[in-house]
Amino acid sequence: MNFAAQLFYSSYLSERLERLYSPRPALRDREENDPFWQREELHLGPRQPGGCSKPGPVSNGTMGRRPTLIEPERLKDFGEEELLNGDVKVHDTKVVGGPEIMLMDPPKTRRVSEFRIIPRPQAQYLRFEDISAAAFRIHSGVQKTPCTYSRLSKQYGMEIYLKKEQLHYTGSVKERGALYLLTSLTQEQQRKGVIVATDCNFSMAVAHHAVELKVPVFVIMPSCCSSPRLRTYRDYGAMVISYGSTSHDSQNHARHLAKENGYLYLEEDESAAYLAGLGTVGMEIYEQVPKLDAVVVPAAGQYGLLAATAAAVKHLDSRILVVGIEPDGFPLLLQSLKTDGPVKDMHGSPNRKLYGDLMARSLGVNTFQLAKKLVDKVITVSEEDSLVAMLRFQEFERSTVDTEGAMGLAAILAGQLPELRGKKVAVVVSSANMELELVRQCMDRALVLDDRVSKFSVKLGEWPGDMAKLLDILSREDVRLLDVCHRRHGDKSDLFKAKVECVVETRDRTQSAQLRRMLSERYPTICWLDR
């Protein structure tokens, strides 16, 4: 081959390959449907009819032993060539200034079936295996609370079993989730310690069990926190620090301390470990009450308890009805179910003394999905019904609970679950953390709401013995006189009469109605004051 032919061939080949492998929009657009190594424009010579050329590896401009992309017949026009084992041996020609062309291996062809996406089952956020593991881990750290038959059953036409979670050491069901959460931490996290900054049942449970596990625990509380509660945290063995005037200040300070010192800041959330610990309630209820028909669970700021209990109960027996109870002043879960998504900005006015700081709580996506899938019914109860339920616990169960713990029974007392009549129902009593003074105020209010305490005013003459006759009537009716006020200087129109105000307590509503009827007949001017 003469020098001119060799130079022409090298120039032609370099130009052709550079044009073929340069990025062009038209080629990129059809790259997937028409692989570049099978296109007609890559072949320098005509293809044989019915022929098929298989691609082979190419490196540094030299041909391998696999069939080449360039047909050897086309090279005969440019001079000599030697065929060795079916390959083409081309005499080396050095082109001054020509760039070395790096060719890549052609992509592997894939069948159409390989591109099909096979759907995989979605992983469950909370499995029954997780709840079983939590029950095995915490059985020595928390007690197995009783689930006893209630004397209120005959009064309301159903078999009521009370799961008394208020009997835990800290008075709350959240000990289950807090203990399993702490035992799930790494050794490094347990060695450095944890920190909490909210005065709630969760913080009390963390403080108690962290000390039991020999994990350093720090409690940041605002100055508005009551002294008895601070003393409780110190009695548990936690390091208590008072900071700020509001809970928001203490929480920010706790996050700052956790970041600076390597502590783990814990707050009540929807972590899988925490929910698995709470779900052990459902396992115990199923074991303690055979042939159960329904479970009533409070959900005031603790939606994880409802979702986790439903997950356990529904796995063991899908026919068991799970009912969630919320306060009507803050129906977060109920509104979220109506909008088919967790509500972020919930406007409500719950009584913070009774239900805590509910407006600071939120409903997580995972907890909402569990509740949406597993909870059969969500209803709301009023503050008045919860207070009356607290009174029933005092009278019939000889126990003190808070409003959150009484909400399950409140729904039954208010007649909002008529479909459960004649059924076997388990009611979760979640907590009993309420200060003594607030308990007394709640009981006084509950007696009024239950028509057990009445207040009336009556005008009596100033004749000797009129006041004694009124007191004698109350005594004969077996009514307890709580307060009496005798006002001699009343209205100007009644110059010879005195106004008497009395506060009395009766046994029940029947006796109260009988007292009102008798006093109204004897004293036509009597005035019953509103509640």
Side-chain angles (χ1 to χ4, degrees):
M1 179 183 295
N2 55 24
F3 178 77
Q6 292 179 359
L7 182 61
F8 176 78
Y9 166 71
S10 300
S11 302
Y12 176 81
L13 181 60
S14 300
E15 180 182 359
R16 190 66 173 174
L17 292 176
E18 182 178 0
R19 185 174 14 158
L20 290 176
Y21 291 98
S22 60
R24 291 187 296 171
L27 293 178
R28 287 197 303 266
D29 294 340
R30 59 178 184 172
E31 183 175 329
E32 295 182 2
N33 300 324
D34 187 11
F36 69 88
W37 64 89
Q38 297 179 1
R39 297 176 193 153
E40 191 66 26
E41 57 190 282
L42 289 179
H43 300 279
L44 299 181
R47 303 183 59 180
Q48 297 294 333
C52 178
S53 61
K54 298 182 180 180
V58 182
S59 62
N60 295 330
T62 61
M63 306 301 175
R65 290 198 174 186
R66 294 184 181 180
T68 179
L69 294 175
I70 303 175
E71 298 181 7
E73 291 81 359
R74 186 68 180 87
L75 300 179
K76 294 180 180 180
D77 299 338
F78 301 99
E80 293 183 7
E81 71 277 351
E82 296 182 12
L83 299 179
L84 299 177
N85 298 326
D87 292 342
V88 179
K89 180 179 180 182
V90 182
H91 294 281
D92 296 335
T93 302
K94 184 177 182 181
V95 181
V96 180
E100 184 180 11
I101 301 174
M102 303 292 294
L103 302 181
M104 301 178 61
D105 294 335
K108 179 184 176 182
T109 59
R110 299 177 63 182
R111 299 178 180 177
V112 179
S113 60
E114 297 182 18
F115 290 94
R116 296 175 183 173
I117 300 177
I118 301 176
R120 296 181 178 180
Q122 187 178 4
Q124 297 180 359
Y125 181 74
L126 181 63
R127 304 174 302 169
F128 183 77
E129 291 79 1
D130 301 329
I131 300 176
S132 300
F136 178 77
R137 181 81 65 86
I138 68 175
H139 78 280
S140 60
V142 295
Q143 62 173 325
K144 185 177 181 180
T145 57
C147 189
T148 58
Y149 180 80
S150 175
R151 291 190 297 167
L152 292 169
S153 301
K154 296 181 180 180
Q155 185 175 351
Y156 295 99
M158 62 184 73
E159 293 186 47
I160 302 176
Y161 292 84
L162 300 177
K163 181 60 173 173
K164 299 181 179 180
E165 290 296 303
Q166 82 277 10
L167 298 181
H168 285 294
Y169 188 82
T170 62
S172 170
V173 66
K174 298 184 180 181
E175 280 195 26
R176 299 174 179 269
L179 177 57
Y180 190 56
L181 179 62
L182 289 172
T183 56
S184 301
L185 301 179
T186 63
Q187 292 184 356
E188 181 66 18
Q189 290 173 335
Q190 293 182 2
R191 183 185 64 82
K192 290 184 177 180
V194 296
I195 186 170
V196 293
T198 305
D199 182 22
C200 61
N201 295 330
F202 174 77
S203 297
M204 297 179 66
V206 170
H208 168 62
H209 285 289
V211 174
E212 293 293 319
L213 296 174
K214 294 180 172 53
V215 176
V217 56
F218 302 88
V219 179
I220 314 298
M221 289 297 162
S223 57
C224 60
C225 186
S226 63
S227 298
R229 294 302 284 264
L230 294 178
R231 186 167 55 249
T232 301
Y233 286 104
R234 291 191 178 97
D235 292 341
Y236 290 157
M239 175 64 70
V240 181
I241 301 174
S242 181
Y243 182 89
S245 58
T246 62
S247 59
H248 184 70
D249 296 336
S250 60
Q251 290 174 8
N252 290 336
H253 186 60
R255 293 188 181 96
H256 173 73
L257 293 178
K259 182 178 180 180
E260 292 294 329
N261 300 277
Y263 305 139
L264 179 62
Y265 178 66
L266 292 180
E267 56 184 347
E268 190 173 6
D269 55 9
E270 57 172 8
S271 63
Y274 181 65
L275 295 184
L278 295 177
T280 57
V281 177
M283 293 182 59
E284 292 185 6
I285 291 176
Y286 183 81
E287 177 185 353
Q288 293 170 327
V289 185
K291 298 181 181 180
L292 187 64
D293 295 308
V295 178
V296 182
V297 186
Q302 48 188 11
Y303 304 98
L305 174 62
L306 173 61
T309 303
V313 170
K314 288 293 186 179
H315 178 85
L316 295 170
D317 191 348
S318 59
R319 71 174 185 84
I320 298 178
L321 188 71
V322 179
V323 183
I325 312 298
E326 285 190 297
D328 58 1
F330 198 77
L332 181 59
L333 179 57
L334 189 61
Q335 292 297 328
S336 299
L337 292 174
K338 291 181 179 180
T339 58
D340 197 21
V343 176
K344 299 300 180 182
D345 299 326
M346 180 69 190
H347 300 285
S349 57
N351 192 326
R352 294 190 177 185
K353 285 189 175 182
L354 298 180
Y355 296 105
D357 197 3
L358 289 183
M359 290 183 290
R361 306 291 178 87
S362 61
L363 179 62
V365 177
N366 295 320
T367 306
F368 170 76
Q369 293 297 334
L370 286 173
K372 177 183 176 182
K373 179 182 178 181
L374 302 174
V375 178
D376 299 289
K377 187 177 182 180
V378 178
I379 60 177
T380 61
V381 294
S382 63
E383 175 185 320
E384 290 77 8
D385 293 333
S386 297
L387 294 178
V388 174
M390 291 177 61
L391 180 62
R392 295 290 186 270
F393 271 102
Q394 287 278 3
E395 290 183 317
F396 292 91
E397 299 298 328
R398 304 296 189 265
S399 60
T400 301
V401 301
D402 54 18
T403 48
E404 292 184 16
M407 282 198 306
L409 184 61
I412 297 177
L413 304 187
Q416 298 194 47
L417 296 172
E419 66 273 16
L420 298 183
R421 280 192 165 272
K423 305 291 185 180
K424 187 176 292 188
V425 184
V427 180
V428 178
V429 185
S430 58
S431 57
N433 282 325
M434 183 175 285
E435 297 183 9
L436 183 60
E437 178 62 23
L438 185 57
V439 171
R440 186 189 63 81
Q441 295 177 7
C442 290
M443 291 299 99
D444 292 342
R445 178 63 177 163
L447 288 171
V448 176
L449 295 173
D450 199 34
D451 289 333
R452 303 269 292 279
V453 173
S454 303
K455 183 178 180 180
F456 64 89
S457 64
V458 62
K459 294 182 179 180
L460 302 177
E462 292 190 353
W463 299 100
D466 287 351
M467 185 65 181
K469 292 180 181 179
L470 175 62
L471 298 179
D472 182 63
I473 293 174
L474 298 178
S475 177
R476 283 189 281 106
E477 292 293 330
D478 196 17
V479 174
R480 182 185 177 189
L481 182 63
L482 300 179
D483 190 17
V484 60
C485 181
H486 185 245
R487 304 179 185 275
R488 299 188 60 184
H489 302 284
D491 299 336
K492 295 182 179 180
S493 58
D494 299 327
L495 297 179
F496 303 103
K497 290 186 178 181
K499 185 178 181 181
V500 178
E501 294 180 356
C502 296
V503 180
V504 296
E505 179 182 356
T506 55
R507 291 188 302 271
D508 49 29
R509 293 187 177 184
T510 302
Q511 187 184 20
S512 178
Q514 180 180 353
L515 176 66
R516 290 191 176 214
R517 183 173 57 256
M518 188 270 301
L519 290 179
S520 297
E521 293 175 356
R522 189 173 184 88
Y523 301 98
T525 60
I526 192 173
C527 179
W528 296 93
L529 304 180
D530 295 335
R531 295 184 296 179

